[in-house]
Amino acid sequence: MARYIFITGGVVSSLGKGLASAALGALLQARGFSVRLRKLDPYLNVDPGTMSPFEHGEVFVTDDGAETDLDLGHYERFTGVAARNTDSISSGRVYSTVLEKERRGDYLGKTIQVIPHVTNEIKDFINVGDDEVDFMLCEIGGTVGDIEGLPFFEAIRQFSQDKPRGQCIFMHLTLLPFIKASGELKTKPTQHSVKELRSIGIAPDILVCRSEGPIPKKEREKLALFCNVRPESVIAAQDLSTIYDAPLAYHREGMDQAVLDAFQISPAPKPDLSKWEDVSDRIHNAEGEVKVAIVGKYVQLEDAYKSIAEALTHGGMANRVRVKIEWVDAELFENKDPAPYLEGFHAILVPGGFGERGTEGKIKAAEFARTRKVPYLGICLGMQMAVIEAARNVAGMTTAGSEEFDHEAGKKRFEPVVYHLKEWVQGNHKVERKVGDDKGGTMRLGAYDAVLSEGSRVADAYGTTSIDERHRHRYEVDVKYREQLEKAGLKFSGMSPDGKLPEIVEWPDHPWFIGVQFHPELKSKPFEPHPLFEDFVRAATEVSRLV
């Protein structure tokens, strides 16, 4: 039976609950325990799939096709445990399930209420896989006191009562603001946050306090006294220069020991942190620097490309170089020369996205990389833009474009080398989609196999000709243009097993130019960098040494 750790937040959002959860998971693994991490989000969207990247950052996709919160990316990167559909839930999904059951008559005519029906649904979700791991870490989104979060707090309170004594603990993450004018570190917001938590029946066992610097002994004792926790269970979470220092920093603060003490696990296995010491060493002792431009259209919110930024960092670690990322708005040069914006970079990455806005800039970025021999990695829409660029400027198809943009504009303007994907094979059955389908959960989602061409650059990078990668798209390069594009020199070096869906394109006469329909960044980890990002940064490093 798993032991449960519930991680809640107070005072303000975005304090780093996801990172703290992921780092704790990594520390428990370092002591030899198995872990699984879950996210419970109070918003009413069924999942983040239909949210704007400006609203919620990136959407993290699991192997089994769930569109989830970006915190699941942290969980995977820090623990290496592949997230599943059962590791992410929202109020929307809970209410949707409850209402479906009510419509079917599953409740036998009862009046449906938040307690017990909604809370029972949440508890059932938390309990999935109870016998699979030693520790289940469940992060509750938002902050204590949020009206939409109340059913989740009530559910975890009930859950801890349903389980045998000592099977569940609560960790509460808060902020200790430093008032510059008076030179004081203030504990009152944390006291109020804990008071709010206790008023709904939850007493924290461990306090994790975000602060700019160390917490003096006096403030630590004050927090322990007023919040009714042991002084050694007050954990300082100081600002770090890199998130990959978090496991080591939290270990120095005694977080993992405080958790084991709360569960009365003694003697506890000693941790093996050599993996994280190596990760930290590679980041802090880099032997060079490369500059990579990410040409996107959600650049005002860096969380929109969170996994890409992290995967580039991992690629840098593999090559022992520091990757300096600069965010370039694709709209800046839609109607002018991109050179002033892109010169000086050692590599260019064009990420995914939806809609026509900014796409002409992305096409120009692909052309700049192709003609100037700058290493280029196009992901999802970034691959499609590279194909459109090749069709227009090399294959002579001057009106080449994407059906997506015609659908958006409501009129036909382009020859659709990128078309709306109407059917594909998933496992043993065929999936069919129409343009007018609901937006939520209707894309080609999750892990699919691909076959790579022998001797291609991608096959060399992967070291194999058989891969599986995660997808999230509803538009696809049309295979009927393959022959025409290959005559122009663009090689289709990766295809779906049935040969119908292009997965990877590359320019063989270019130092490093690859476009992929999937999202390789979702599988990259600091201790296991994704081979494409490792090779991409290697190519950028070679350019940096030539300059």
Side-chain angles (χ1 to χ4, degrees):
M1 194 188 293
R3 294 178 171 92
Y4 286 82
I5 304 166
F6 293 104
I7 299 103
T8 58
V11 185
V12 294
S13 59
S14 300
L15 282 179
K17 285 198 304 295
L19 188 57
S21 305
L24 175 57
L27 289 174
L28 291 170
Q29 279 183 326
R31 289 181 180 267
F33 297 107
S34 58
V35 299
R36 179 145 224 102
L37 290 98
R38 297 208 153 127
K39 181 76 188 283
L40 290 75
D41 271 309
Y43 51 69
L44 280 171
N45 303 64
V46 171
D47 59 45
T50 55
M51 289 191 209
S52 160
F54 291 121
E55 284 276 325
H56 200 71
E58 76 169 8
V59 173
F60 189 81
V61 180
T62 61
D63 280 338
D64 57 7
E67 294 178 287
T68 71
D69 185 83
L70 60 81
D71 275 333
L72 270 76
H74 284 315
Y75 303 164
E76 274 204 27
R77 284 188 282 274
F78 276 74
T79 65
V81 177
R84 299 196 294 236
N85 181 41
T86 51
D87 294 332
S88 176
I89 200 169
S90 66
S91 289
R93 190 167 153 196
V94 171
Y95 283 112
S96 177
T97 306
V98 168
L99 293 173
E100 281 170 18
K101 288 182 177 179
E102 184 273 332
R103 291 289 83 186
R104 282 199 307 265
D106 291 5
Y107 296 118
L108 302 174
K110 285 192 170 65
T111 304
I112 312 305
Q113 295 178 287
V114 172
I115 303 171
H117 301 99
V118 171
T119 50
N120 282 351
E121 196 64 42
I122 296 168
K123 288 194 289 182
D124 288 347
F125 165 78
I126 295 169
N127 212 38
V128 171
D130 177 70
D131 56 349
E132 294 177 9
V133 291
D134 299 318
F135 287 96
M136 195 77 80
L137 285 72
C138 300
E139 178 195 344
I140 315 298
T143 52
V144 62
D146 294 347
I147 192 165
E148 63 266 33
L150 287 172
F152 288 97
F153 287 107
E154 173 60 20
I156 62 174
R157 184 197 68 77
Q158 290 179 20
F159 190 87
S160 68
Q161 294 297 314
D162 296 343
K163 290 287 178 184
R165 190 177 292 276
Q167 206 69 29
C168 303
I169 67 166
F170 296 93
M171 179 187 288
H172 193 52
L173 191 77
T174 69
L175 176 69
L176 291 186
F178 180 75
I179 309 299
K180 212 169 184 179
S182 61
E184 290 179 300
L185 197 63
K186 289 297 184 184
T187 64
K188 191 61 77 177
T190 295
Q191 292 177 46
H192 278 296
S193 183
V194 172
K195 182 182 175 188
E196 181 82 29
L197 196 61
R198 291 169 69 87
S199 73
I200 52 180
I202 295 172
D205 299 279
I206 297 166
L207 272 184
V208 181
C209 304
R210 275 299 301 270
S211 62
E212 290 177 24
I215 305 173
K217 188 167 182 275
K218 190 178 103 182
E219 275 73 16
R220 206 178 280 255
E221 288 171 348
K222 188 176 179 182
L223 283 165
L225 179 66
F226 285 102
C227 299
N228 200 35
V229 298
R230 295 175 183 276
E232 60 270 22
S233 294
V234 177
I235 309 298
Q238 296 180 49
D239 295 348
L240 301 168
S241 59
T242 166
I243 61 171
Y244 298 114
D245 280 341
L248 297 174
Y250 278 129
H251 175 67
R252 284 194 298 272
E253 277 293 319
M255 179 194 273
D256 46 332
Q257 190 59 55
V259 167
L260 297 170
D261 289 345
F263 282 116
Q264 298 184 335
I265 297 173
S266 182
K270 291 272 187 289
D272 175 8
L273 295 168
S274 54
K275 182 167 76 172
W276 290 102
E277 284 159 358
D278 179 55
V279 164
S280 182
D281 176 61
R282 285 174 178 274
I283 287 180
H284 293 295
N285 298 306
E287 294 164 6
E289 182 176 274
V290 296
K291 286 175 68 180
V292 178
I294 297 183
V295 182
K297 57 182 180 180
Y298 311 120
V299 294
Q300 295 90 334
L301 182 70
E302 291 177 16
D303 270 359
Y305 303 117
K306 189 68 182 169
S307 290
I308 287 175
E310 297 309 323
L312 283 169
T313 300
H314 306 159
M317 288 156 63
N319 290 280
R320 280 207 171 267
V321 294
R322 185 173 293 107
V323 179
K324 187 183 179 194
I325 295 168
E326 287 194 27
W327 309 90
V328 180
D329 190 340
E331 288 186 87
L332 291 174
F333 46 80
E334 282 204 293
N335 300 309
K336 52 186 171 183
D337 182 12
Y341 300 92
L342 299 178
E343 280 171 342
F345 289 106
H346 304 128
I348 294 168
L349 189 152
V350 176
F354 296 91
E356 191 173 1
R357 182 177 63 83
T359 52
E360 291 299 324
K362 290 186 174 190
I363 290 166
K364 285 190 173 179
E367 182 184 17
F368 179 90
R370 177 178 62 79
T371 55
R372 299 286 191 97
K373 303 296 184 188
V374 179
Y376 175 93
L377 176 57
I379 294 173
C380 199
L381 185 69
M383 167 188 164
Q384 295 172 6
M385 297 304 99
V387 171
I388 290 170
E389 190 278 323
R392 287 182 187 176
N393 300 328
V394 186
M397 300 158 61
T398 53
T399 59
S402 172
E403 209 172 33
E404 178 180 8
F405 311 150
D406 281 347
H407 289 156
E408 194 179 341
K411 59 185 177 187
K412 183 163 172 34
R413 298 166 295 159
F414 298 117
E415 182 168 355
V417 294
V418 176
Y419 74 109
H420 183 270
L421 191 57
K422 294 168 183 67
E423 61 179 56
W424 65 90
V425 175
Q426 185 171 19
N428 296 320
H429 67 282
K430 191 163 77 172
V431 181
E432 294 186 353
R433 291 281 183 259
K434 297 191 293 290
V435 174
D437 284 350
D438 286 349
K439 291 280 183 276
T442 58
M443 287 183 268
R444 186 175 178 226
L445 290 165
Y448 287 86
D449 294 336
V451 180
L452 312 184
S453 304
E454 290 275 4
S456 62
R457 186 175 291 283
V458 283
D460 289 346
Y462 277 101
T464 179
T465 55
S466 181
I467 62 168
D468 74 281
E469 293 281 4
R470 296 176 188 174
H471 293 66
R472 182 176 182 253
H473 62 99
R474 57 170 61 87
Y475 291 86
E476 177 90 41
V477 173
D478 197 333
V479 74
K480 77 180 183 187
Y481 294 97
R482 177 179 181 173
E483 190 180 336
Q484 197 172 345
L485 287 163
E486 289 204 319
K487 270 185 188 165
L490 183 69
K491 183 177 182 180
F492 283 58
S493 54
M495 299 292 293
S496 60
D498 62 5
K500 291 181 179 177
L501 303 177
E503 293 280 13
I504 306 171
V505 295
E506 59 183 70
W507 285 104
D509 60 349
H510 190 284
W512 208 100
F513 191 110
I514 293 172
V516 296
Q517 183 56 71
F518 46 82
H519 289 270
E521 71 275 15
L522 300 179
K523 286 196 171 188
S524 189
K525 301 168 187 70
F527 39 83
E528 195 185 321
H530 191 284
L532 273 185
F533 280 90
E534 185 175 337
D535 205 42
F536 178 58
V537 175
R538 179 200 55 74
T541 306
E542 285 183 9
V543 171
S544 74
R545 287 170 184 161
L546 293 171
V547 173

